[in-house]
Amino acid sequence: MQERDDKAWTSQPPALLEVRGLRVAYGGIQAVKGVDFEVREGELVSLIGSNGAGKTTTLKAVTCGLLPVDGEILYQGRSIRGAGAWDLVAKGLIMVPEGRGVFARMSITENLLMGAFTRKDKSGIAADMEHMFELFPRLRERAAQLAGTMSGGEQQMLAMARALMGRPKILLLDEPSMGLSPIMVDKIFEVVRDVHALGVTMVLVEQNASRALALADRGYVMESGLISMSGAGSELLRDERVRAAYLGE
Ligand SMILES: Nc1ncnc2c1ncn2[C@@H]1O[C@H](COP(=O)(O)OP(=O)(O)OP(=O)(O)O)[C@@H](O)[C@H]1O
Ligand SMILES: [Mg+2]
């Protein structure tokens, strides 16, 4: 008899990112109380939930070395618990933080180059820069402008383009549509869809639950530091509890 290989029993690819039993506290306050989720290669996974649910904290534990009280964070099968942000970017795990975090006193071009700081392949960087200008024509028009003088939506595009310059294997976006006008929100979700279509694995944290779930392969709902529901994006979108709590119905 053949030795059993668990992976052979499923058509699902192995998880690129796997979080198990994650607990994070700020001083005595527990913000994340035992969270499990996984992201498989090529997936777009949306994480929704109300203010203070622990979404940003969860992303920070994965991407910024925010040390958990307990739990495992596996990336490509290896623990990255407490790893430094630089190391994680070099490994292809890149986050666009809430509030964008562009370098205000640098030009758009300089910001994009900063996104490639872990790379050495000059011709690849130049080709990717051109690709970013194709994906975001607005950035090409403004290439020499200081990032701090751009509109909120333009800064969000720049933040996403800068992250892509690091050639992410997994891109984590924390509320990319926050504070933007309806037209800009449309544009940002379009870009999220396009980047996912390019094959980039993504985690999308959003208050805009209906848009985020509509794009997602799978989704998780977070409430008070715990995952309360999970499933296919389309399934969650139809769920009555999700509709009542997060879609204002
Ligand atoms: N640096 C901090 N110090 C103390 N408490 C914090 C800190 N950061 C977050 N918290 C608390 O942890 C909890 C989770 O916050 P978090 O930012 O992860 O929520 P969120 O789901 O991202 O919310 P939002 O949708 O408003 O961005 C909240 O109660 C928040 O007040
Ligand atoms: Mg947040």
Side-chain angles (χ1 to χ4, degrees):
M1 208 167 108
Q2 266 189 327
E3 202 177 313
R4 181 179 159 164
D5 173 1
D6 277 339
K7 289 194 182 83
W9 293 89
T10 157
S11 58
Q12 307 280 21
L16 182 59
L17 177 68
E18 194 175 343
V19 172
R20 294 285 163 240
L22 183 71
R23 293 201 294 126
V24 187
Y26 298 105
I29 300 165
Q30 284 218 16
V32 174
K33 302 172 185 166
V35 156
D36 297 323
F37 70 93
E38 60 182 39
V39 184
R40 294 188 279 265
E41 192 130 16
E43 272 192 318
L44 194 170
V45 170
S46 289
L47 181 57
I48 64 165
S50 48
N51 292 118
K55 305 180 298 296
T56 297
T57 303
T58 299
L59 289 194
K60 282 186 178 165
V62 172
T63 62
C64 304
L66 178 60
L67 212 57
V69 175
D70 199 9
E72 258 319 318
I73 306 170
L74 301 174
Y75 174 62
Q76 298 178 315
R78 295 214 177 93
S79 175
I80 52 162
R81 193 182 139 119
W86 167 289
D87 201 22
L88 294 173
V89 169
K91 285 187 163 80
L93 209 136
I94 304 183
M95 167 153 89
V96 177
E98 215 171 1
R100 290 120 206 179
V102 299
F103 300 113
R105 301 176 71 134
M106 289 185 179
S107 70
I108 286 170
T109 305
E110 287 164 340
N111 266 273
L112 292 176
L113 288 173
M114 289 299 285
F117 75 105
T118 59
R119 298 172 57 186
K120 302 248 177 328
D121 54 325
K122 281 203 171 124
S123 60
I125 292 171
D128 281 0
M129 184 95 100
E130 178 57 29
H131 189 195
M132 288 310 123
F133 286 144
E134 282 162 20
L135 201 58
F136 306 95
R138 183 74 65 97
L139 297 184
R140 189 198 299 276
E141 290 163 25
R142 309 286 177 99
Q145 187 174 329
L146 292 184
T149 64
M150 297 199 303
S151 75
E154 289 165 352
Q155 288 191 22
Q156 184 62 48
M157 287 183 209
L158 176 58
M160 287 167 73
R162 187 181 64 185
L164 290 170
M165 288 297 292
R167 287 265 175 116
K169 289 197 177 69
I170 178 165
L171 179 65
L172 302 98
L173 306 173
D174 196 355
E175 306 217 16
S177 80
M178 186 166 59
L180 302 183
S181 68
I183 290 177
M184 267 301 169
V185 170
D186 285 349
K187 176 70 192 167
I188 292 300
F189 279 105
E190 228 172 78
V191 168
V192 168
R193 190 197 57 204
D194 291 351
V195 169
H196 179 228
L198 291 173
V200 179
T201 306
M202 294 172 101
V203 176
L204 174 62
V205 167
E206 261 298 331
Q207 292 281 332
N208 196 330
S210 58
R211 304 287 291 266
L213 291 175
L215 284 184
D217 297 304
R218 289 186 308 110
Y220 292 88
V221 181
M222 203 165 173
E223 278 173 46
S224 311
L226 290 166
I227 301 288
S228 59
M229 268 187 270
S230 64
S234 55
E235 217 176 281
L236 289 175
L237 206 47
R238 283 194 307 265
D239 188 283
E240 271 174 27
R241 289 160 297 174
V242 173
R243 299 190 78 85
Y246 302 103
L247 308 180
E249 288 175 13

